[in-house]
Amino acid sequence: DGGITQSPKYLFRKEGQNVTLSCEQNLNHDAMYWYRQDPGQGLRLIYYSQIVNDFQKGDIAEGYSVSREKKESFPLTVTSAQKNPTAFYLCASSIGAGDYNEQFFGPGTRLTVL
Amino acid sequence: GQNIDQPTEMTATEGAIVQINCTYQTSGFNGLFWYQQHAGEAPTFLSYNVLDGLEEKGRFSSFLSRSKGYSYLLLKELQMKDSASYLCAVSDSNYQLIWGAGTKLIIKP
């Protein structure tokens, strides 16, 4: 079955540590996205990538970094520079960034920084 | 700036009908999506409107008026499993999705 996987589902880290969240898709989609969701708020775009080896900052990129070395993979690193990293992180993909761009989501990773 | 407004929370009764509104102001328009999100889970696609009018899909319908910057999601024959947040998202001139904060729908028996 095609889909998007994120791991782990729950992640705990100590303050000051970097942590990497994985996102893999086998839908053959070109575009991939990372969102952050806080309670009572909508989805806020962190980074997105429309093609391998290229990515763009979203609205809240500070304190985060990404890579897109393979079409299937778009890992997100939450660095110690992110001031409030505890949140629900969602990865998504779409066929492309143009025309009809329905986004398909992974199950999410809930990160708690202690 | 770009803005999408939805009510924060709505309550309805099992078996009834509820309408969730969404108004938007965006730089360009390339379609409007509705997603359903159960607590702690990923959003799932419900509907897409790019032309004015009503799109019906089973118990769910979605309406769009581009001239008014307005959409609604209509849920009929409400079931307890419909308790969730409903997210409105607009595809802007760059084909980026701009998301509303979501409407939490509470269904009472």
Side-chain angles (χ1 to χ4, degrees):
Chain A
D1 288 334
I4 303 177
T5 58
Q6 291 183 243
S7 62
K9 190 168 180 64
Y10 299 95
L11 189 57
F12 297 88
R13 278 295 181 270
K14 292 183 179 179
E15 193 171 343
Q17 290 181 335
N18 291 356
V19 60
T20 297
L21 283 57
S22 85
C23 176
E24 303 279 332
Q25 55 99 359
N26 61 2
L27 299 168
N28 199 33
H29 285 172
D30 285 319
M32 296 187 75
Y33 312 81
W34 272 106
Y35 291 96
R36 170 182 173 138
Q37 188 174 36
D38 294 284
Q41 295 194 31
L43 303 181
R44 292 188 289 168
L45 183 64
I46 304 172
Y47 269 98
Y48 65 99
S49 168
Q50 297 181 6
I51 197 169
V52 175
N53 292 323
D54 185 53
F55 49 82
Q56 309 295 328
K57 291 182 178 180
D59 300 320
I60 56 165
E62 185 176 350
Y64 300 96
S65 65
V66 294
S67 63
R68 186 86 187 276
E69 297 176 1
K70 298 186 300 182
K71 186 175 185 177
E72 305 80 25
S73 180
F74 191 40
L76 173 74
T77 297
V78 184
T79 75
S80 56
Q82 168 51 232
K83 296 179 180 178
N84 186 19
T86 294
F88 187 47
Y89 290 88
L90 286 160
C91 179
S93 70
S94 65
I95 292 175
D99 201 15
Y100 180 74
N101 54 342
E102 176 189 347
Q103 292 186 8
F104 297 79
F105 286 84
T109 293
R110 187 167 298 279
L111 173 65
T112 302
V113 176
L114 306 171
Chain B
Q2 307 202 92
N3 192 52
I4 296 183
D5 287 318
Q6 306 178 232
T8 302
E9 187 175 296
M10 299 181 70
T11 302
T13 304
E14 190 176 15
I17 299 173
V18 70
Q19 178 176 310
I20 302 174
N21 296 327
C22 171
T23 58
Y24 62 89
Q25 291 178 309
T26 56
S27 56
F29 179 85
N30 283 301
L32 185 145
F33 293 85
W34 284 97
Y35 281 78
Q36 180 190 60
Q37 185 180 26
H38 286 99
E41 298 182 8
T44 55
F45 170 80
L46 287 178
S47 69
Y48 172 73
N49 295 70
V50 67
L51 300 176
D52 290 351
L54 187 68
E55 294 280 342
E56 297 185 82
K57 190 185 295 185
R59 293 189 299 114
F60 292 6
S61 303
S62 57
F63 172 83
L64 174 68
S65 169
R66 288 173 297 170
S67 62
K68 295 182 179 179
Y70 168 71
S71 173
Y72 68 73
L73 181 69
L74 191 71
L75 291 73
K76 302 177 183 177
E77 302 170 13
L78 286 170
Q79 302 175 9
M80 297 303 293
K81 68 178 182 180
D82 297 330
S83 292
S85 289
Y86 292 85
L87 311 179
C88 173
V90 171
S91 180
D92 70 8
S93 57
N94 295 317
Y95 296 98
Q96 292 298 322
L97 290 190
I98 311 301
W99 295 85
T103 298
K104 182 177 181 180
L105 178 62
I106 299 169
I107 310 297
K108 295 185 175 180

